[in-house]
C-alpha cells in the first residue's frame, strides 16, 4: 500500500559537509570552510595520489561554501536541496528577489510540480458509492407468511458512480467531461456534463452543457473582489418537456483571518436555500459551522476535526439538527500510505437510525459504503458499528498493510541503491580519501587533548546494529568464521578531527555526509556509538543517525 514510487536521488548535505547547523551565520560558515580548507587544500599534499584525493575533497568543500555563503543559493537549497538550484522555473525568478521571496517562489514551484505529477498519475477522478441495507441483523422482520431464513439478509439498496476527466487545452483553458449513474431501489438515472473553463484576470469563467433528466445549460464564474473577498456565482437552465426551470446560485466568501473563512450562499431553482458558513482550518484542527434556511429543510450543523499529523490520523465529530430530525456522527480517518486513506464513521440519528459509513480514499478516487444497520437507535448496532471497523483495521494492518508496506519499502530501497550505486561508491572513496588526508590533523589534535586531559575518541562505530554493547567491526557466522561486518564502519579518526577545545559537536543531519563518513547500509536505521575518555574517565554514548551530538555530555554519560 505504500505509495513511495521512488526515493529521491541521494544528494549532498552541504551543512554536514562543513559540520555547521542549518541556522549557521555567515561567519560560522566561513570559519568552518577555512578550517576544512587547511585540511584538504591540494598544496599541502604534494604531487602524488594524495593531491588528487585532496583536490576532490577540496572542491566538494568549496562547493558547499559557495552555496551556503550566497543568501540566494542558500535559500533555494534550504527549500528544495541540490536539485532546487536547477529547478524548472528558475528563469521566472528575478535574481534581485530577497532570499525569503526566492524560498516562497520555489516552494510554490515544488508544490505545482507535485500537483502536476499527482494529477498525471491519478486522472480520471471518480467516486463510487454502494448503499447497503443490513437492518435485518439487529431488527429482523418477522412474518408468519414469509420465511426469513436462518441468516439475516443483506441487500444493496442503491449505487451511484461518477467519473470525470480533465483535458488542459492551454495554460488558461481546461475542458472537463464528467458522467454519473444512480440506481436506487431498482430505478436508475444518469447524466453527463461537458464543461469548458477559462482562467481570467483575478478569477475564472466556465460554460457547462449536459443531459440527464433533460438537457442542461449553464454558466458560472468566480472573481476576487479584494484580497480578502471573492464572489462565485452561476446560472443553469434545466429543459423539461413542457417547461424550462432556471436556477441561480451565488456565494460571497470573506477571509476573516489567516485560518478562517466566512461564506454566504444563496440558491434558487430546483432547491431554494440560503446558508451561512464559518470555517476555520489550521494544522491541528478544522471546524465548520453551518446554518441553512431552505425548502424543504432548514437545519444547523457543526463539525469538528482533530488532526494528528504525526500519526496520520483525523478524528471527527459532527452534529446536525433541523426539520428532518437530528443526526450525530463520530468517526476517524487513517492515512495508510502516501496517497491512500481509510475512514469509518458511525451515524446515529432520528429518524434515520444507525448507519456505518466506510470510506476508502485512493488519491482522487473515493469508494463509499454506507451500511444501514438499524432504523431505530439500537445499542447493539452502535456497539458493533464502533468496534467492528477498529478490529478489522488492526487485523488488516497486521496481516496486509504492514507486510505490503515493508515489501514496497525494501523494493524502493533496492531501486535507489541501484540508481545511486555509483554515487554510493564515490562517497565511500571520498570517505577513505578524507581519512587518509586527516593523518596530520588527527595526530596534532590527539596530542593536544592528551596534554590537557581533554576529549579522546577511543572507538567510534557507525552503522546498523541492535546491540550497542557488543557491536564490533567483525562478526562471526554460524560456522565460527570471522568476517568483516558490512553494516558498520570505523569513524574514530574523522570524529577526533572534529574535536575542538575538548568539545565534539555534530548537528541535526545524517552523519553519513560528514567528512570521513559514508553510508554502509543505505535505507536502514543507523546509529553512532562513541567510546571516549575525558578527564581520565572512560565513557560510552550511543546516538541516532540524525540526533545532535554534544560531547562531553555529563548528563547522558555512562562510565565504561
Amino acid at each position: 500500500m505504500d505509495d513511495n514510487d521512488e526515493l529521491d536521488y541521494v544528494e549532498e548535505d552541504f551543512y554536514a559537509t562543513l559540520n555547521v547547523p542549518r541556522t549557521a551565520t555567515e561567519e560560522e560558515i566561513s570559519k568552518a570552510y577555512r578550517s576544512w580548507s587547511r585540511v584538504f587544500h591540494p598544496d599541502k599534499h604534494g604531487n602524488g595520489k594524495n593531491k588528487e584525493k585532496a583536490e576532490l575533497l577540496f572542491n566538494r568543500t568549496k562547493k558547499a561554501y559557495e552555496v551556503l555563503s550566497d543568501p540566494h543559493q542558500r535559500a533555494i537549497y534550504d527549500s528544495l536541496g541540490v536539485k532546487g538550484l536547477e529547478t524548472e522555473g528558475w528563469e521566472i525568478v528575478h535574481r534581485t528577489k530577497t532570499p525569503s521571496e526566492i524560498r516562497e517562489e520555489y516552494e510554490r514551484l515544488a508544490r505545482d510540480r507535485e500537483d502536476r505529477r499527482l494529477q498525471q498519475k491519478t486522472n480520471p477522478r471518480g467516486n463510487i458509492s454502494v448503499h447497503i441495507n443490513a437492518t435485518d441483523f439487529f431488527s429482523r422482520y418477522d412474518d408468519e407468511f414469509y420465511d426469513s431464513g436462518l441468516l439475516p439478509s443483506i441487500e444493496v439498496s442503491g449505487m451511484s458512480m461518477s467519473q470525470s476527466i480533465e483535458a488542459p487545452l492551454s495554460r488558461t483553458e481546461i475542458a472537463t467531461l464528467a458522467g454519473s449513474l444512480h440506481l436506487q431501489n431498482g430505478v436508475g438515472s444518469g447524466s453527463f456534463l461537458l464543461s469548458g473553463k477559462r482562467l481570467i484576470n483575478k478569477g475564472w469563467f466556465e460554460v457547462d452543457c449536459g443531459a440527464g433528466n433533460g438537457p442542461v445549460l449553464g454558466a458560472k464564474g468566480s472573481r476576487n473582489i479584494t484580497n480578502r473577498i471573492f464572489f462565485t456565482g452561476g446560472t443553469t437552465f434545466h429543459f423539461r418537456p413542457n417547461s424550462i426551470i432556471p436556477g441561480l446560485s451565488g456565494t460571497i466568501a470573506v477571509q476573516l483571518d489567516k485560518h478562517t473563512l466566512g461564506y454566504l450562499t444563496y440558491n434558487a431553482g430546483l432547491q431554494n436555500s440560503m446558508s451561512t458558513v464559518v470555517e476555520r482550518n489550521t494544522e491541528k484542527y478544522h471546524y465548520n459551522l453551518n446554518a441553512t434556511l431552505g425548502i424543504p429543510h432548514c437545519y444547523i450543523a457543526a463539525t469538528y476535526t482533530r488532526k494528528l499529523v504525526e500519526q496520520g490520523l483525523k478524528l471527527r465529530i459532527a452534529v446536525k439538527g433541523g426539520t428532518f430530525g437530528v443526526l450525530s456522527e463520530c468517526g476517524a480517518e487513517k492515512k495508510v500510505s502516501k496517497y491512500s486513506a481509510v475512514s469509518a464513521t458511525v451515524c446515529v440519528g432520528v429518524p434515520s437510525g444507525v448507519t456505518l459509513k466506510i470510506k476508502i480514499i485512493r488519491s482522487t478516487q473515493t469508494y463509499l459504503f454506507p451500511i444501514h444497520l438499524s432504523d431505530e437507535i439500537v445499542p447493539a448496532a452502535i456497539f458493533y458499528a464502533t468496534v467492528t471497523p477498529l478490529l478489522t483495521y488492526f487485523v488488516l494492518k497486521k496481516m496486509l498493510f504492514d507486510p505490503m508496506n515493508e515489501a514496497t519499502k525494501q523494493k524502493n530501497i533496492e531501486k535507489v541503491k541501484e540508481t545511486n550505486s555509483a554515487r554510493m561508491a564515490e562517497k565511500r572513496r571520498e570517505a577513505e580519501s578524507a581519512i587518509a588526508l586527516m593523518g596530520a590533523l588527527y595526530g596534532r589534535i590527539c596530542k593536544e587533548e592528551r596534554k590537557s586531559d581533554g576529549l579522546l575518541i577511543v572507538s567510534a562505530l557507525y552503522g546498523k546494529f541492535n546491540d550497542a554493547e557488543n557491536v564490533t567491526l567483525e562478526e562471526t557466522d554460524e560456522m565460527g568464521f570471522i568476517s568483516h561486518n558490512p553494516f558498520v564502519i570505523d569513524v574514530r579518526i574523522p570524529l577526533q578531527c572534529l574535536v575542538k577545545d575538548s568539545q565534539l559537536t555534530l548537528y541535526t543531519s545524517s552523519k553519513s555526509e560528514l567528512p570521513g563518513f559514508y553510508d554502509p547500509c543505505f535505507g536502514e536505521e543507523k546509529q553512532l556509538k562513541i567510546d571516549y575518555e575525558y578527564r581520565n574517565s572512560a565513557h560510552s554514548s550511543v546516538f541516532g543517525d540524525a540526533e545532535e551530538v554534544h560531547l562531553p555530555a555529563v548528563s547522558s554519560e555512562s562510565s565504561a
Side-chain angles (χ1 to χ4, degrees):
M1 292 291 294
D2 196 348
D3 294 289
N4 293 325
D5 301 320
E6 58 180 358
L7 299 178
D8 291 335
Y9 177 80
V10 179
E11 294 184 336
E12 292 184 63
D13 187 334
F14 292 148
Y15 291 97
T17 298
L18 299 178
N19 191 33
V20 294
R22 292 189 172 272
T23 56
T25 63
E26 292 185 17
E27 182 180 353
E28 290 173 329
I29 292 171
S30 297
K31 183 178 179 181
Y33 170 64
R34 289 194 300 270
S35 177
W36 286 114
S37 295
R38 287 193 290 269
V39 178
F40 298 132
H41 200 287
D43 293 344
K44 294 181 176 291
H45 299 280
N47 295 315
K49 291 185 178 181
N50 280 348
K51 185 172 183 178
E52 295 179 3
K53 297 177 182 178
E55 287 177 348
L56 178 65
L57 294 167
F58 179 75
N59 289 334
R60 182 182 176 209
T61 304
K62 184 178 179 182
K63 175 65 175 177
Y65 171 72
E66 289 175 347
V67 171
L68 299 184
S69 62
D70 185 308
H72 295 270
Q73 293 192 61
R74 183 178 179 180
I76 298 170
Y77 173 73
D78 286 345
S79 298
L80 299 173
V82 174
K83 288 186 177 181
L85 299 172
E86 300 176 356
T87 300
E88 176 188 357
W90 164 255
E91 64 277 2
I92 69 173
V93 179
H94 299 292
R95 298 299 182 101
T96 56
K97 286 194 173 184
T98 66
S100 61
E101 290 173 331
I102 292 176
R103 182 181 289 110
E104 292 175 357
E105 183 71 15
Y106 269 85
E107 287 175 350
R108 183 189 64 79
L109 289 171
R111 289 193 300 270
D112 289 346
R113 285 197 312 278
E114 179 64 21
D115 290 343
R116 289 196 300 270
R117 178 172 175 267
L118 175 61
Q119 192 175 39
Q120 291 170 356
K121 287 190 174 185
T122 58
N123 277 341
R125 302 168 184 268
N127 296 275
I128 297 177
S129 180
V130 180
H131 298 264
I132 300 172
N133 187 341
T135 56
D136 206 30
F137 268 96
F138 301 98
S139 54
R140 301 197 68 180
Y141 179 73
D142 295 324
D143 191 333
E144 59 179 328
F145 300 104
Y146 176 75
D147 184 9
S148 59
L150 297 177
L151 298 176
S153 65
I154 300 177
E155 62 180 19
V156 176
S157 59
M159 179 180 293
S160 62
M161 302 173 61
S162 64
Q163 203 77 15
S164 67
I165 297 176
E166 289 186 356
L169 304 178
S170 67
R171 295 184 62 182
T172 60
E173 296 176 337
I174 300 173
T176 302
L177 178 63
S180 63
L181 292 172
H182 305 276
L183 179 66
Q184 188 70 31
N185 296 325
V187 179
S189 64
S191 65
F192 80 89
L193 189 69
L194 178 63
S195 304
K197 177 185 286 188
R198 181 181 179 84
L199 303 179
I200 58 177
N201 184 31
K202 295 185 178 181
W204 53 267
F205 180 77
E206 181 177 296
V207 177
D208 305 325
C209 64
N213 187 14
V216 177
L217 295 177
K220 54 187 174 183
S222 177
R223 182 176 178 81
N224 294 338
I225 300 175
T226 67
N227 291 335
R228 299 170 61 91
I229 302 174
F230 69 87
F231 172 80
T232 300
T235 182
T236 58
F237 295 91
H238 296 263
F239 294 87
R240 298 291 189 265
N242 299 316
S243 64
I244 299 176
I245 303 176
L248 182 66
S249 64
T251 298
I252 294 179
V254 181
Q255 185 87 38
L256 301 177
D257 62 34
K258 182 178 180 180
H259 300 288
T260 308
L261 281 170
Y263 300 91
L264 181 62
T265 302
Y266 175 76
N267 290 300
L270 293 175
Q271 292 184 344
N272 298 296
S273 66
M274 177 174 286
S275 63
T276 301
V277 178
V278 176
E279 183 177 30
R280 182 171 178 83
N281 192 9
T282 69
E283 294 181 355
K284 294 184 178 181
Y285 65 87
H286 170 269
Y287 71 73
N288 182 296
L289 303 176
N290 186 340
T292 298
L293 298 175
I295 301 174
H297 291 301
C298 302
Y299 63 87
I300 297 176
T303 303
Y304 178 82
T305 302
R306 178 68 176 179
K307 304 175 185 178
L308 305 176
V309 180
E310 294 183 359
Q311 292 80 14
L313 184 66
K314 294 180 181 179
L315 304 177
R316 178 178 176 273
I317 58 173
V319 178
K320 187 175 182 180
T323 55
F324 60 85
V326 178
L327 179 67
S328 63
E329 297 182 356
C330 180
E333 180 181 306
K334 174 66 176 177
K335 188 173 183 180
V336 296
S337 66
K338 186 175 181 180
Y339 298 128
S340 302
V342 295
S343 73
T345 302
V346 181
C347 306
V348 180
V350 177
S352 58
V354 181
T355 301
L356 171 63
K357 295 181 180 179
I358 303 294
K359 183 187 292 186
I360 301 174
I361 304 169
R362 174 68 179 176
S363 187
T364 54
Q365 301 289 327
T366 302
Y367 306 88
L368 179 63
F369 302 90
I371 306 172
H372 191 193
L373 298 177
S374 174
D375 291 322
E376 299 178 352
I377 300 178
V378 179
I382 298 175
F383 174 79
Y384 283 103
T386 304
V387 174
T388 302
L390 290 174
L391 293 178
T392 303
Y393 170 75
F394 285 115
V395 170
L396 290 177
K397 181 177 185 297
K398 191 70 175 178
M399 300 181 64
L400 182 64
F401 297 155
D402 288 349
M404 290 181 66
N405 283 342
E406 184 62 27
T408 305
K409 177 183 176 182
Q410 292 301 323
K411 182 179 178 180
N412 289 336
I413 288 174
E414 293 301 323
K415 179 180 177 181
V416 175
K417 280 183 179 179
E418 181 180 351
T419 303
N420 294 279
S421 58
R423 169 66 178 152
M424 303 303 289
E426 178 186 353
K427 283 288 295 178
R428 179 170 183 171
R429 289 193 297 270
E430 286 183 5
E432 293 171 347
S433 298
I435 292 175
L437 299 174
M438 289 177 179
L441 177 63
Y442 172 74
R444 177 173 60 80
I445 293 178
C446 285
K447 183 178 179 180
E448 293 175 353
E449 295 299 319
R450 287 194 185 96
K451 186 177 180 180
S452 62
D453 290 332
L455 180 61
L456 279 172
I457 308 297
V458 178
S459 172
L461 301 177
Y462 174 67
K464 176 186 176 183
F465 48 85
N466 297 322
D467 187 357
E469 293 184 1
N470 299 319
V471 62
T472 63
L473 290 171
E474 297 178 341
E475 59 181 5
T476 305
D477 59 20
E478 296 178 354
M479 301 295 294
F481 293 102
I482 298 176
S483 61
H484 175 71
N485 186 347
F487 302 115
V488 177
I489 60 174
D490 184 355
V491 291
R492 177 175 56 92
I493 292 177
L495 276 188
Q496 187 70 67
C497 290
L498 291 170
V499 173
K500 296 180 180 179
D501 300 325
S502 298
Q503 300 283 330
L504 173 63
T505 302
L506 306 179
Y507 300 97
T508 305
S509 60
S510 175
K511 296 170 179 58
S512 61
E513 291 293 318
L514 291 169
F517 283 64
Y518 68 91
D519 193 338
C521 46
F522 180 79
E524 304 288 348
E525 291 187 5
K526 292 170 282 291
Q527 294 177 292
L528 174 63
K529 181 187 179 183
I530 306 175
D531 296 325
Y532 62 97
E533 292 181 358
Y534 182 71
R535 298 290 187 256
N536 295 319
S537 296
H539 307 274
S540 181
S541 297
V542 179
F543 302 92
D545 187 28
E547 184 180 353
E548 284 195 12
V549 175
H550 297 282
L551 295 180
V554 178
S555 60
S556 60
E557 289 173 1
S558 59
S559 297

